[in-house]
Amino acid sequence: KLGTELAGKIKEIEENDFFTNRACFTNSQRKCGEITSCILQTLMLLTEYPYKNFGANEVLKFAEHFNENPDFKQVEYCKELFDQLFSILPYSEEIDKQLKKIHIPMLIMNLDALGALDEDNEITEDQYKDFLKRWFDVLNETSGYMDFCGSGSTSKSKVEGRVYAMDRELRA
């Protein structure tokens, strides 16, 4: 559905250090294309694609749409965000266990929001690292974020709820 050129660019993101060294995907998930799906879900958010949910059929529709309307700058930007997340994310086995498909697009959207926020507030890299550490230690539990996980987590309202909860905590 992506076409050869776009699939190659997505493969480059899959080979990113974040996915090879940090993200929590089983071998079975990797073989079934769950990393590709995660990247496409991230691009759905970054490109403001009018998705109905984060389910497999909707991801395939997006892949077809994106193949017909490729935005290689957006793909490159997505790759840069994953590189940045890898370099900025505090190392911890406990954090790595939480780097699952359901949370990864939200982390990237939060990092994207940081760019807009940073222009106004000048959040330093160290401050953002501290935020991420607090996020994984307590904020994801106390912010209401987890209310948007679990059953029905691919619904648009739950996806948007996760993005909003994390963004709200960053701005707090």
Side-chain angles (χ1 to χ4, degrees):
K1 302 275 181 194
L2 281 170
T4 308
E5 188 175 3
L6 207 46
K9 297 289 183 188
I10 300 299
K11 184 77 172 159
E12 287 177 22
I13 298 173
E14 280 185 49
E15 293 168 351
N16 176 295
D17 287 334
F18 175 79
F19 287 109
T20 58
N21 298 318
R22 299 293 301 271
C24 186
F25 286 87
T26 65
N27 286 336
S28 177
Q29 287 174 313
R30 290 174 186 277
K31 288 177 186 172
C32 291
E34 291 297 315
I35 293 177
T36 301
S37 177
C38 179
I39 293 166
L40 291 175
Q41 289 171 339
T42 303
L43 282 164
M44 288 166 73
L45 293 173
L46 286 171
T47 62
E48 299 179 2
Y49 176 77
Y51 66 96
K52 293 183 176 107
N53 59 55
F54 258 20
N57 288 338
E58 196 71 8
V59 172
L60 287 174
K61 283 181 195 173
F62 171 72
E64 200 168 332
H65 165 81
F66 207 54
N67 183 29
E68 293 168 3
N69 307 282
D71 185 343
F72 292 102
K73 285 183 181 176
Q74 197 68 284
V75 174
E76 186 58 34
Y77 178 62
C78 182
K79 184 176 185 287
E80 288 169 11
L81 287 171
F82 277 110
D83 287 339
Q84 189 177 2
L85 182 61
F86 177 75
S87 69
I88 206 169
L89 195 63
Y91 179 76
S92 156
E93 287 184 25
E94 285 305 310
I95 289 175
D96 287 5
K97 289 177 190 174
Q98 298 178 65
L99 297 176
K100 297 182 179 190
K101 181 181 176 188
I102 188 173
H103 306 301
I104 292 169
M106 308 324 130
L107 286 164
I108 294 297
M109 291 306 293
N110 190 252
L111 195 55
D112 178 57
L114 173 69
L117 193 61
D118 193 29
E119 291 174 10
D120 299 330
N121 296 332
E122 297 186 22
I123 295 174
T124 68
E125 189 173 303
D126 286 339
Q127 288 170 321
Y128 191 63
K129 281 182 183 181
D130 289 343
F131 165 76
L132 288 174
K133 184 166 178 8
R134 283 192 333 276
W135 175 258
F136 286 107
D137 287 347
V138 293
L139 291 177
N140 63 355
E141 296 286 339
T142 61
S143 65
Y145 176 90
M146 296 307 281
D147 296 340
F148 299 103
C149 298
S151 180
S153 64
T154 61
S155 73
K156 184 172 185 156
S157 63
K158 290 216 174 172
V159 169
E160 289 175 348
R162 290 193 301 273
V163 170
Y164 174 75
M166 192 170 189
D167 187 55
R168 184 185 64 233
E169 291 299 325
L170 175 63
R171 294 172 188 275

